[in-house]
């Protein structure tokens, strides 16, 4: 689809051809960004299409360090969640939170699927095996349309990797005042200067899932109130929402700031216009 769009622009407009796409911006909200495949090894093997490599990509995928699927100019953006999620339930600071740790989603009992790939690198399966009978953990495998009401009742919302490190759970958790517990190694999160993720979330290494209960108990006994207060900050919640029309400080506004910063760092002769 993107190749056809670029073909149309090349044929009918002058802008692409004069810069080979360097002054164009694309959204690549797939599991591994512009590699366009949900399986990481296949995505890496395919790489980013040549016609996109000079453009700037807005992508939900981001990891620390080198990765084939982010070897282009890019901005890590939050997954899209409808803005009304922030207001459809009670204000986070007023919600009754009777669930200690929550997760609803795919958790394979037999983690090896027919492709030979291990979903979630077995992390979700290990969560189910370790905590499925633990009353402090509310883990559900079946889909439920009202799952956001469950998040709004929870103190901690588990955000383990799936095929890719990220998922909309991260944004939903923040909007609903549930502390995100990110279980995805080397993940790069959006708008880090504004959101200061260590102040509003927890990160647990994939290899440390067996210690998760102890980690959550420690936070609950020490700095839970501080993290929740940071999490309920409307400035932070606004930064994760794409409003229409754009509002100052929202996700679209943050993207434009990131693009402006990239422009300022480029040499004058190499600026993309």
């Amino acid at each position: 689809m993107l190749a056809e769009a670029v073909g149309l622009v090349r044929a009918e407009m002058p802008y692409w051809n004069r810069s080979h796409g360097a002054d164009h911006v694309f959204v690549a909200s797939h599991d591994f960004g512009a590699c366009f495949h949900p399986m990481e090894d296949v995505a890496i093997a395919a790489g980013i299409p040549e016609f996109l490599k000079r453009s700037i990509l807005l992508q939900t995928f981001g990891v620390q360090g080198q990765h084939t699927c982010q070897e282009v100019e890019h901005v890590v953006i939050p997954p899209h969640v409808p803005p009304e999620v922030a207001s459809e339930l009670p204000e986070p600071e007023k919600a009754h939170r009777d669930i200690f740790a929550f997760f609803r989603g795919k958790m394979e009992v037999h983690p090896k699927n027919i492709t030979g790939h291990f979903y979630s690198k077995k992390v979700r399966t290990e969560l189910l095996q370790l905590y499925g009978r633990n009353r402090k953990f509310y883990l559900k495998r079946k889909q439920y349309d009202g799952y956001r009401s469950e998040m709004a009742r929870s103190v901690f919302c588990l955000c383990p990797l799936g095929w890719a490190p990220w998922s909309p759970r991260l944004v939903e958790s923040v909007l609903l005042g549930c502390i995100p517990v990110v279980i995805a190694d080397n993940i790069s999160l959006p708008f880090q200067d504004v959101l200061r993720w260590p102040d509003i979330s927890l990160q647990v290494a994939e290899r440390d899932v067996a210690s998760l209960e102890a980690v959550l108990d420690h936070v609950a006994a020490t700095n839970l109130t501080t993290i929740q207060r940071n999490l309920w900050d409307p400035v932070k919640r606004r930064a994760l929402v794409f409003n229409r029309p754009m509002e100052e400080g929202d996700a679209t506004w943050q993207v434009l700031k990131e693009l402006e910063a990239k422009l300022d760092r480029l040499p004058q002769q190499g600026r993309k216009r």
Side-chain angles (χ1 to χ4, degrees), residues 12 17 27 69 71 78 93 104 110-111 115 127 184 187 189 195 198 202 223 240-241 264:
E12 299 189 9
N17 295 327
V27 177
C69 298
E71 291 179 349
E93 60 270 31
R104 182 181 286 277
H110 303 290
T115 67
L127 284 170
I187 189 172
L189 298 171
L195 290 167
L202 303 177
N223 59 338
L240 289 170
V241 173
D264 290 341

Side-chain angles (χ1 to χ4, degrees), residues 193-219:
D193 291 342
V194 176
L195 290 167
R196 301 185 184 278
W197 287 98
D199 294 341
I200 63 172
S201 67
L202 303 177
Q203 285 199 259
V204 175
E206 296 165 17
R207 66 176 182 275
D208 293 337
V209 169
S211 304
L212 179 61
E213 182 177 7
V215 171
L216 300 185
D217 283 342
H218 176 74
V219 171

